[in-house]
Amino acid sequence: MPKQKTKSSAKKRFKLTGTGKIKRKHAFKSHILTKKSKKRKLRLTHDTLVHKADENSIKEQLCLK
């Protein structure tokens, strides 16, 4: 049986924390930044955790399940 490959897109976008949760970056921070407020851009800078409903599919893509 061949080995299961990790999705390259998921590998680049998600990181695992020490407790096993999945970290992700916020969207809407790559371009058209002039019309966004400083406060909004600052909030988008920080990483956040993936929602529990999406965790299983991401873990499958990362071959963690």
Side-chain angles (χ1 to χ4, degrees):
M1 197 71 191
K3 291 183 179 178
Q4 191 176 11
K5 286 190 176 179
T6 304
K7 292 259 183 174
S8 292
S9 57
K11 180 169 53 178
K12 294 168 191 171
R13 288 183 174 106
F14 303 108
K15 295 274 180 277
L16 222 61
T17 63
T19 55
K21 294 173 185 168
I22 304 169
K23 275 197 326 186
R24 69 170 177 88
K25 288 195 186 330
H26 281 281
F28 308 111
K29 183 80 196 315
S30 57
H31 60 94
I32 315 174
L33 299 172
T34 51
K35 64 174 83 168
K36 294 170 188 160
S37 69
K38 191 172 182 178
K39 181 181 179 181
R40 181 175 167 191
K41 286 186 281 190
L42 187 66
R43 277 186 279 133
L44 292 173
T45 301
H46 305 296
D47 290 348
T48 185
L49 296 175
V50 167
H51 196 272
K52 196 172 181 181
D54 300 320
E55 265 186 23
N56 285 339
S57 65
I58 292 166
K59 281 185 178 178
E60 270 180 34
Q61 291 174 26
L62 294 172
C63 297
L64 298 172
K65 204 169 181 189

